[in-house]
Amino acid sequence: MYDLHSHSTASDGSLTPTELVRLAHSKGVTNLALTDHDLIDGCSEAGIEAKKLGLNFINGAEISVSWSSQTIHIVGLNLDIQTPELLSGLQRLCEFRDWRAEEIARRLSKKRIEGAYEGAKVFAKGRIMGRTHFARFLLENGYAKDLKQVFKRFLVQGKPGYVPGQWASLEEALGWIQAAGGQAVIAHPARYRLSATRRRQLVGEFRELGGLALEVVSGSHSRDEILHMGQIANQFELHASAGSDYHGPENPYLDMGRLSPLPEVCKPIWEHASWPKPASDQGQTDSENSSLDPCPSALTL
Ligand code: AMP
Ligand code: MN
Ligand code: MN
Ligand code: MN
């Protein structure tokens, strides 16, 4: 079972990388990608725990992109997390996040909400601060009844705590992912407020730049959205990915290990030629090709 989109305390998830991997394993996930926002800090820890449990772990990141005055998320998978180009790109986004966190707090204080920076910081266990941490602070202080309402009242475009993003360009994000030897996926493509025409334009540009897949199955997609995104992926000859976008037990996203299967018409990203073969498959291939094998399977068929 593949889950190729999840978050830990390194960004805005509420489980540590180790806890996340243990949960995934207990829910029957066999291939897990950690895709924290704009950083790869949690991947080493998650990889160590996954190895202990025999779970196949994939280094990933969910990169924030500004495209046509919208924020779009691009998931990078199978990243070489030592790649200087990737690390310096993500560093730039983290620096913008540092400034943005202060700016969110300044804007909230104009609405007489004081102490938001320090308050949000308490919830941020990793290097970055995101809107989720501000949402938790606002929720704790009774500014709304749930996370959804907090975002709607304070943290989305046109609301007091919203600061427009200055993220990577689509070209930069794909360049960093490719430099790191990874595959690029448009995260939760049905979630953006784009007209059908603009969405097709986005998918077309993404493909031109070497993007590989759409996240057809997402914890935030309905059944209809899954089918619709599957059709778009096929029309553009893109592969399909699947990820829960898990943020922790208290978030209103789908649970781990409960994703719908990809629509039959879709080509899974893990069947693309560039997807690394698990170590066990490679072992088998070696022995099949070995001249010591007394009975090659090709002869018995
Ligand atoms: P940021 O990257 O800091 O701008 O924050 C984006 C994150 O906020 C997303 O990855 C979600 O985790 C969270 N988020 C955005 N909108 C909502 C919402 N309506 N309800 C709950 N969480 C949300
Ligand atoms: Mn998030
Ligand atoms: Mn996202
Ligand atoms: Mn996500």
Side-chain angles (χ1 to χ4, degrees):
M1 201 194 317
Y2 286 79
D3 190 332
L4 302 178
H5 187 156
S6 68
H7 296 270
S8 74
T9 45
S11 67
D12 60 355
S14 57
L15 300 184
T16 66
T18 299
E19 290 166 343
L20 180 79
V21 169
R22 285 184 186 158
L23 177 74
H25 182 251
S26 76
K27 300 273 184 176
V29 173
T30 55
N31 294 264
L32 175 75
L34 175 62
T35 56
D36 275 310
H37 296 286
D38 305 320
L39 43 69
I40 44 79
D41 296 14
C43 287
S44 301
E45 182 188 319
I48 291 168
E49 185 61 20
K51 205 164 182 183
K52 285 187 203 158
L53 297 172
L55 181 147
N56 186 41
F57 178 73
I58 293 144
N59 291 324
E62 183 175 14
I63 303 179
S64 308
V65 163
S66 296
W67 184 83
S68 173
S69 66
Q70 279 262 347
T71 300
I72 302 291
H73 287 168
I74 301 291
V75 160
L77 298 170
N78 293 299
L79 302 172
D80 174 350
I81 56 174
Q82 315 275 354
T83 310
E85 217 169 323
L86 173 71
L87 294 175
S88 63
L90 296 181
Q91 175 65 22
R92 193 185 98 206
L93 300 187
C94 289
E95 282 164 14
F96 170 68
R97 277 185 178 278
D98 291 341
W99 173 83
R100 184 185 71 152
E102 290 171 13
E103 181 64 16
I104 290 174
R106 277 192 288 273
R107 292 187 187 198
L108 289 174
S109 91
K110 284 187 191 147
K111 295 283 166 192
R112 298 214 187 88
I113 299 174
E114 301 301 340
Y117 185 85
E118 296 72 22
K121 189 96 186 151
V122 173
F123 292 100
K125 308 277 189 249
R127 199 166 100 226
I128 63 156
M129 276 164 84
R131 280 185 292 162
T132 307
H133 305 119
F134 283 93
R136 290 186 187 141
F137 160 78
L138 290 165
L139 198 56
E140 188 189 57
N141 287 278
Y143 287 100
K145 69 170 167 37
D146 58 30
L147 216 53
K148 209 180 156 115
Q149 199 181 59
V150 168
F151 270 89
K152 215 171 157 187
R153 284 191 183 167
F154 296 98
L155 297 168
V156 296
Q157 202 158 0
K159 296 301 156 86
Y162 181 79
V163 179
Q166 289 162 32
W167 307 113
S169 68
L170 191 60
E171 192 171 3
E172 284 173 324
L174 268 72
W176 304 338
I177 291 168
Q178 283 153 8
Q183 299 89 11
V185 181
I186 300 184
H188 41 69
R191 287 280 65 77
Y192 309 114
R193 274 212 220 145
L194 294 170
S195 67
T197 310
R198 296 293 284 154
R199 183 162 39 222
R200 294 180 71 81
Q201 197 178 343
L202 168 68
V203 175
E205 276 182 38
F206 170 78
R207 192 183 187 283
E208 286 287 301
L209 291 166
L212 184 63
L214 297 190
E215 195 174 74
V216 169
V217 169
S218 160
S220 67
H221 284 175
S222 69
R223 266 181 100 85
D224 284 352
E225 286 169 339
I226 289 173
L227 293 174
H228 187 201
M229 294 306 121
Q231 283 168 352
I232 296 179
N234 275 4
Q235 283 164 8
F236 282 84
E237 297 181 320
L238 289 169
H239 281 62
S241 186
S244 60
D245 206 359
Y246 187 76
H247 278 74
E250 67 289 299
N251 290 73
Y253 291 97
L254 200 79
D255 203 2
M256 273 252 154
R258 303 192 55 180
L259 286 173
S260 313
L262 288 177
E264 296 240 326
V265 290
C266 288
K267 287 177 290 199
I269 188 172
W270 51 87
E271 288 177 7
H272 187 264
S274 67
W275 193 264
K277 298 279 168 288
S280 57
D281 285 9
Q282 278 166 9
Q284 210 176 352
T285 311
D286 286 351
S287 75
E288 276 169 8
N289 294 339
S290 162
S291 57
L292 295 172
D293 189 344
C295 183
S297 52
L299 293 180
T300 57
L301 285 173

